[in-house]
Amino acid sequence: QTTIDAAYLQGRVQELPEKRPGKLDASDKEILQFTWDKGNWKVLYSEIKTVYVSLSRRSVMMEAFGIYAAPVIAGKKRKLLLSLVVTDKPGTNRNCVFYLPAGATREFIRALETGTGRNVIYESEEARKGAEGK
């Protein structure tokens, strides 16, 4: 599946609303697209310079969801994060970070690797296993 549920967490892409759920679509051969309830954002694969998969830290989740989520977060597995470094037309690097569903990303990540021509960088073996649903 090359279209997956995701949520934009943070970054330097002003066109994207922070903490907004949506869909990441890697089915197009030239463009990665994030669509949410009130809009969409597209980036050419050729502008994506780094694809990095990591696991969330509890402190990041607390910052995103607040103190009221502490009891829930404490018992939850860490979430997968997809970080992209995008170079736009003026040559400015911008990063964007998305939450990804665990195990729903194998085909999606392959499509990203194919589209960008770059290998995904994994923070750890645990992050690789999480992305592969193992």
Side-chain angles (χ1 to χ4, degrees), residues 62-63 65-71:
M62 286 293 292
E63 180 181 315
F65 298 106
I67 191 73
Y68 301 106

Side-chain angles (χ1 to χ4, degrees), residues 40-104:
N40 69 27
W41 173 75
K42 297 177 183 180
V43 62
L44 291 170
Y45 287 126
S46 61
E47 294 178 350
I48 298 173
K49 303 305 177 196
T50 304
V51 181
Y52 185 79
V53 174
S54 60
L55 293 168
S56 65
R57 303 287 177 253
R58 287 185 182 9
S59 60
V60 170
M61 293 180 73
M62 286 293 292
E63 180 181 315
F65 298 106
I67 191 73
Y68 301 106
V72 174
I73 290 169
K76 296 281 183 184
K77 287 175 41 174
R78 297 187 313 169
K79 303 286 184 194
L80 279 174
L81 300 176
L82 171 67
S83 301
L84 303 174
V85 175
V86 177
T87 301
D88 58 17
K89 300 282 188 254
T92 303
N93 284 340
R94 302 184 299 164
N95 70 316
C96 47
V97 181
F98 296 91
Y99 279 123
L100 300 181

Side-chain angles (χ1 to χ4, degrees), residues 1-6 22-28 31-35 45 100-101 104-109 111:
Q1 156 180 345
T2 56
T3 300
I4 61 172
D5 291 327
K23 301 265 185 200
L24 266 173
D25 183 354
S27 61
D28 189 282
I31 294 171
L32 174 68
Q33 179 172 258
F34 180 66
T35 305
Y45 287 126
L100 300 181
T105 58
R106 188 177 317 172
E107 287 179 48
F108 175 80
I109 287 176

